[in-house]
Amino acid sequence: ATTGDIHETAFNYDEAKQWPIYARPSTWEEYDDALELDIERSLRKQDVRNASKRELHDATLRLAAENPELVAEKLLEARREG
């Protein structure tokens, strides 16, 4: 990928590591809907139409890593509701 070019993928497939992530089916559906309906629409507004799943997943994990308190809050919320 060319540095700074938002029309090129951030990293190649061979740079990715596939890991299992376990979540409830309803959470996966909500996540997939957010990716397809909201996140990809937002990217299209920036004229990005080629976002790969690996990039979207990577961004999601980076967001979680940068916001540990929010992740903990969501875990506690689920336990209280469960």
Side-chain angles (χ1 to χ4, degrees), residues 24-69:
R24 295 172 285 185
S26 60
T27 304
W28 277 117
E29 288 173 14
E30 201 175 322
Y31 178 70
D32 282 340
D33 286 350
L35 287 180
E36 293 176 17
L37 302 174
D38 301 319
I39 297 169
E40 288 185 10
R41 183 181 313 149
S42 179
L43 290 168
R44 284 188 184 105
K45 288 179 182 178
Q46 299 294 319
D47 200 31
V48 174
R49 298 182 175 275
N50 63 339
S52 66
K53 290 288 186 189
R54 70 180 178 272
E55 289 180 289
L56 294 166
H57 294 164
D58 185 76
T60 302
L61 290 173
R62 286 186 291 117
L63 181 65
E66 293 169 3
N67 295 281
E69 298 85 10

Side-chain angles (χ1 to χ4, degrees), residues 3-24:
T3 303
D5 186 353
I6 64 168
H7 297 99
E8 297 292 328
T9 58
F11 56 94
N12 296 322
Y13 179 79
D14 59 345
E15 295 178 70
K17 169 73 173 149
Q18 188 173 15
W19 291 84
I21 296 178
Y22 302 98
R24 295 172 285 185

